[in-house]
Coordinates of all heavy atoms in Angstrom, one line a residue:
D380 N 15.3 1.1 -1.6 CA 15.3 2.6 -1.1 C 14.2 2.8 0.0 O 13.1 3.0 -0.4 CB 15.2 3.6 -2.2 CG 15.5 4.9 -1.8 OD1 15.3 5.4 -0.6 OD2 16.1 5.6 -2.6
A381 N 14.5 2.7 1.3 CA 13.5 2.8 2.2 C 12.9 4.2 2.3 O 11.6 4.2 2.5 CB 14.2 2.7 3.7
G382 N 13.6 5.3 2.0 CA 12.9 6.6 2.0 C 12.0 6.7 0.9 O 10.8 7.3 1.2
Y383 N 12.2 6.1 -0.3 CA 11.3 6.3 -1.4 C 10.0 5.5 -1.0 O 8.9 6.0 -1.3 CB 11.8 5.8 -2.7 CG 11.0 5.9 -3.9 CD1 11.2 7.1 -4.7 CD2 10.1 5.1 -4.2 CE1 10.4 7.3 -5.7 CE2 9.2 5.2 -5.3 CZ 9.4 6.4 -6.0 OH 8.6 6.6 -7.1
L384 N 10.1 4.2 -0.5 CA 9.0 3.4 -0.3 C 8.1 4.0 0.9 O 7.0 4.0 0.8 CB 9.5 2.0 0.0 CG 10.0 1.3 -1.2 CD1 10.6 -0.2 -0.7 CD2 9.0 1.1 -2.2
A385 N 8.9 4.6 1.8 CA 8.1 5.2 3.0 C 7.3 6.4 2.7 O 6.3 6.7 3.3 CB 9.1 5.6 4.1
G386 N 7.7 7.1 1.6 CA 7.1 8.2 1.0 C 5.8 8.0 0.1 O 5.2 9.1 -0.2
L387 N 5.6 6.8 -0.2 CA 4.4 6.5 -1.2 C 3.1 6.5 -0.4 O 2.9 5.7 0.5 CB 4.7 5.1 -1.8 CG 5.8 5.1 -2.8 CD1 5.9 3.6 -3.4 CD2 5.6 6.0 -3.9
N388 N 2.2 7.5 -0.8 CA 0.9 7.4 -0.3 C -0.1 6.8 -1.2 O -1.2 6.6 -0.8 CB 0.5 9.0 -0.1 CG 1.3 9.5 1.0 OD1 1.6 9.1 2.0 ND2 1.7 10.9 0.8
E389 N 0.3 6.6 -2.5 CA -0.5 5.9 -3.5 C 0.3 4.9 -4.2 O 1.6 5.1 -4.3 CB -1.1 6.9 -4.5 CG -2.0 8.0 -3.9 CD -3.3 7.6 -3.3 OE1 -3.7 6.4 -3.8 OE2 -3.9 8.2 -2.7
A390 N -0.3 3.9 -4.6 CA 0.3 2.9 -5.3 C 0.7 3.4 -6.8 O 0.1 4.3 -7.3 CB -0.5 1.6 -5.6
E391 N 1.9 3.0 -7.3 CA 2.4 3.4 -8.6 C 3.0 2.1 -9.3 O 3.4 1.3 -8.6 CB 3.3 4.6 -8.5 CG 4.5 4.3 -7.7 CD 5.3 5.6 -7.7 OE1 4.7 6.7 -7.5 OE2 6.6 5.6 -7.7
R392 N 3.2 2.5 -10.6 CA 3.9 1.3 -11.3 C 5.4 1.5 -11.5 O 5.9 2.7 -11.4 CB 3.3 1.4 -12.9 CG 3.9 0.4 -13.8 CD 3.4 0.7 -15.2 NE 4.0 -0.1 -16.2 CZ 3.7 -1.3 -16.6 NH1 2.6 -1.8 -16.1 NH2 4.2 -2.0 -17.5
G393 N 6.1 0.5 -11.4 CA 7.5 0.5 -11.5 C 8.1 -0.4 -12.5 O 7.3 -1.3 -13.0
E394 N 9.3 -0.3 -12.8 CA 10.0 -1.3 -13.7 C 11.4 -1.5 -13.3 O 12.1 -0.6 -12.9 CB 10.0 -0.6 -15.1 CG 10.5 -1.6 -16.2 CD 10.4 -0.9 -17.6 OE1 11.2 0.0 -17.8 OE2 9.5 -1.4 -18.3
I395 N 11.8 -2.8 -13.4 CA 13.2 -3.2 -13.1 C 13.7 -3.7 -14.4 O 13.2 -4.3 -15.2 CB 13.3 -4.4 -12.1 CG1 12.7 -3.9 -10.7 CG2 14.6 -5.0 -12.0 CD1 12.7 -5.0 -9.6

Side-chain angles (χ1 to χ4, degrees):
D380 188 325
Y383 187 92
L384 294 173
L387 288 179
N388 294 317
E389 299 289 343
E391 60 185 39
R392 178 185 173 91
E394 185 177 72
I395 292 176

